[in-house]
Amino acid sequence: MKKLTLLSAAVIVALTAPTAFAKVSEAQAAKLGTELTPLGGEKEGNADGSIPAWDGGITKPVAGYEKGMHHPDPFPNDKIEFTITNANKAQYKDYLTPGQMKLFELYPDSYKMNVYQTRRTASVPQFVYDATKANATRAELVADGNGISGASIGVPFPVPQNGLEAIWNHVLRFRGVDVETARSQAAPTASGGYTLVETAEEIRFQYSRPEMTLDKLKESNTLFYFKQVVTQPARLAGTALLVKETMDQEALPRQAWTYNTGQRRVRKAPNVAFDTPGTVSDGLRTTDDFDMFNGSPVRYNWELVGKKEIYIPYNDYKLHSDKLKYEQILKPGHINPDYVRWEKHRVWEVKAQLKDGMRHIYKTRVFYLDEDSWQVAMADMYDNRDELYRVAVAHAINYYEVPTHWTTLEVIHDLQSRRYLAMGLDNEGRMYNFDAKLSEANFTPAALRRAGIR
């Protein structure tokens, strides 16, 4: 894949130097909103015009949209420009990840990528841009990268100096303030059969609240609260999880609790982290695969490899549509490629290598972060034999009523079993509620027990 020219000499030095936790200069921060987008992406398009300049993204809902609706496609008349298949993939290999190349090989007759015009639609509210600029010269990593300080609300490191800063940008990207979701997941067998698992989720983003201050964050040491309750199928209904994510995980690691319907008890769950199998995932993902990556980065050495142009899912409104049924999306081997929109975008490549003496089923992970949103768009995971093990794909849209760029579906492909896990299915369910009013009282062990009782 072709590497792009990096943004400044300071960044070039940072990519080749040992991990450093220095803040950026006022001169570098001054580029935000001018040479760079307010979140740190390159404002200008690429040399051949296939990636346009960022013009602010989508900042208001499309005509006809009302809250509670699935989001109408802002670009319904866009046509497929070309299609990548196993037969012609070599022609596009400079813009494909190893994981994408492998999927073509595994499913040569069915896997394809329909490529559309690139539209840089990512955006967030102005108060997030303002906070990001303030963070740029004061945010820093603490506890050897296992926490942050000096940042609130916005992206902490819009001009990243190392891989740890980049992955923290993904973890702390803006996704709203109080959010309720009703989502489903499925793990189709090799023949395509699946059982739908439905969940209700609540998320209170402490870090992102407009009124949040550095002192309040330091005092609470809380980034967000997350509660998930399985509602279907009946045999799993009531299974529940509560997570309190901390800002300095060295001072206090992630706090988690589970509710077991058989025992009707809430238990502390310190193992809900790292490579513990994900909730009702059929063993197809780890806990830290959720949201493409979450939790403590402490088990890996992180390298900021550089920037490149690749094809990633973007503006996946067709896949998001409530006109689709799950059976139309979920197919043997992979989701239906006819509903996926691929575009060429610039991404940061971040490589995570397992530290000596640390344990994880992934020895190496390579993340590709969208420059305009810090959303991890693709991830390749390798096992302890250095073989490509899993490939994760984030299908994102702009939820323009907020606005925020976030996933409508995440798919994790297990290359060894030739199965996949589709998380976040919402076509047949109700839409995200970004106007939820959630208090900290919603996220206590007692609240978890009440939510789990069925």
Side-chain angles (χ1 to χ4, degrees):
M1 286 177 274
K2 294 181 180 178
K3 298 256 179 92
L4 298 183
T5 302
L6 294 169
L7 303 181
S8 67
V11 175
I12 294 174
V13 170
L15 296 181
T16 56
T19 299
F21 299 160
K23 305 169 188 177
V24 301
S25 68
E26 292 283 355
Q28 287 174 296
K31 295 179 181 179
L32 297 171
T34 55
E35 179 182 334
L36 304 179
T37 73
L39 296 187
E42 293 177 56
K43 206 167 192 178
E44 293 303 312
N46 65 352
D48 66 8
S50 56
I51 297 175
W54 183 80
D55 62 1
I58 299 179
T59 58
K60 60 183 180 181
V62 303
Y65 169 79
E66 296 180 3
K67 286 189 177 182
M69 293 173 57
H70 283 66
H71 299 71
D73 189 346
F75 316 110
N77 298 321
D78 281 5
K79 305 298 182 185
I80 299 170
E81 295 192 339
F82 57 90
T83 299
I84 306 173
T85 66
N86 187 59
N88 68 358
K89 67 179 186 294
Q91 179 181 344
Y92 302 99
K93 62 181 176 60
D94 287 344
Y95 306 103
L96 298 172
T97 68
Q100 291 169 324
M101 294 290 282
K102 190 66 176 179
L103 290 172
F104 282 118
E105 294 174 18
L106 285 180
Y107 309 107
D109 299 323
S110 58
Y111 190 75
K112 64 181 179 180
M113 293 168 56
N114 291 328
V115 180
Y116 290 76
Q117 172 183 351
T118 297
R119 295 187 179 272
R120 297 175 67 180
T121 54
S123 63
V124 294
Q126 184 61 46
F127 75 89
V128 181
Y129 294 142
D130 295 340
T132 297
K133 192 157 192 175
N135 291 341
T137 55
R138 68 188 186 191
E140 58 186 340
L141 297 170
V142 298
D144 198 28
N146 205 21
I148 68 163
S149 69
S152 65
I153 305 170
V155 169
F157 307 108
V159 185
Q161 305 295 292
N162 53 64
L164 266 170
E165 291 186 350
I167 204 67
W168 272 108
N169 286 347
H170 165 78
V171 171
L172 294 177
R173 71 201 188 282
F174 181 78
R175 287 165 283 169
V177 177
D178 292 321
V179 186
E180 292 178 331
T181 73
R183 307 191 294 176
S184 298
Q185 67 181 44
T189 63
S191 62
Y194 61 87
T195 298
L196 204 64
V197 177
E198 300 177 10
T199 62
E201 298 172 357
E202 296 177 345
I203 315 173
R204 178 182 166 93
F205 292 104
Q206 294 288 93
Y207 176 89
S208 301
R209 310 189 77 77
E211 71 276 11
M212 189 51 61
T213 65
L214 299 183
D215 288 341
K216 287 180 181 177
L217 273 177
K218 185 175 182 180
E219 180 181 356
S220 69
N221 193 24
T222 304
L223 294 176
F224 62 81
Y225 296 96
F226 173 80
K227 183 168 66 182
Q228 180 188 70
V229 181
V230 177
T231 57
Q232 293 289 340
R235 62 184 173 82
L236 298 174
T239 302
L241 170 68
L242 172 65
V243 172
K244 175 185 176 181
E245 192 73 294
T246 54
M247 188 168 183
D248 182 344
Q249 300 215 7
E250 189 73 20
L252 180 65
R254 165 186 285 173
Q255 305 291 288
W257 297 262
T258 57
Y259 177 77
N260 183 290
T261 54
Q263 298 176 342
R264 301 179 72 84
R265 291 183 62 184
V266 172
R267 291 184 178 274
K268 201 81 181 285
N271 293 327
V272 177
F274 303 113
D275 60 354
T276 302
T279 306
V280 293
S281 65
D282 220 4
L284 294 175
R285 74 166 175 90
T286 62
T287 294
D288 61 10
D289 277 329
F290 190 82
D291 193 37
M292 302 297 282
F293 179 81
N294 74 89
S296 169
V298 72
R299 294 192 180 182
Y300 290 92
N301 291 313
W302 297 83
E303 176 189 359
L304 191 59
V305 178
K307 256 190 175 178
K308 56 186 57 170
E309 300 173 3
I310 63 171
Y311 297 112
I312 60 176
Y314 223 89
N315 297 308
D316 253 330
Y317 292 94
K318 185 184 293 187
L319 183 64
H320 170 80
S321 172
D322 59 353
K323 304 297 189 294
L324 288 180
K325 300 296 183 183
Y326 296 143
E327 63 184 18
Q328 294 174 273
I329 297 171
L330 301 169
K331 299 298 180 182
H334 51 79
I335 65 170
N336 191 332
D338 288 332
Y339 301 121
V340 179
R341 176 178 176 132
W342 297 85
E343 299 180 2
K344 184 193 286 184
H345 286 261
R346 286 185 293 244
V347 298
W348 285 103
E349 180 182 354
V350 176
K351 186 176 184 179
Q353 290 278 109
L354 194 63
K355 292 178 180 177
D356 291 341
M358 289 291 187
R359 179 192 171 279
H360 200 289
I361 64 170
Y362 304 143
K363 180 181 177 182
T364 305
R365 307 164 85 154
V366 183
F367 298 95
Y368 303 92
L369 288 73
D370 169 39
E371 70 167 339
D372 290 335
S373 65
W374 295 103
Q375 168 75 51
V376 172
M378 302 281 303
D380 292 342
M381 287 81 84
Y382 296 80
D383 62 20
N384 290 319
R385 302 167 300 169
D386 296 317
E387 296 288 335
L388 195 57
Y389 181 10
R390 288 176 177 163
V391 178
V393 186
H395 300 270
I397 64 171
N398 184 315
Y399 293 86
Y400 34 65
E401 75 273 32
V402 182
T404 181
H405 179 88
W406 197 8
T407 56
T408 182
L409 185 67
E410 296 172 25
V411 180
I412 299 179
H413 296 269
D414 187 295
L415 305 180
Q416 296 174 3
S417 66
R418 297 201 175 194
R419 295 183 62 197
Y420 67 94
L421 177 69
M423 299 185 296
L425 293 159
D426 57 20
N427 308 75
E428 298 181 32
R430 59 185 172 87
M431 190 33 51
Y432 292 15
N433 175 17
F434 288 97
D435 291 330
K437 303 299 180 185
L438 303 174
S439 71
E440 294 182 37
N442 291 77
F443 301 93
T444 64
L448 182 69
R449 186 177 187 278
R450 290 193 298 272
I453 294 174
R454 289 290 182 268

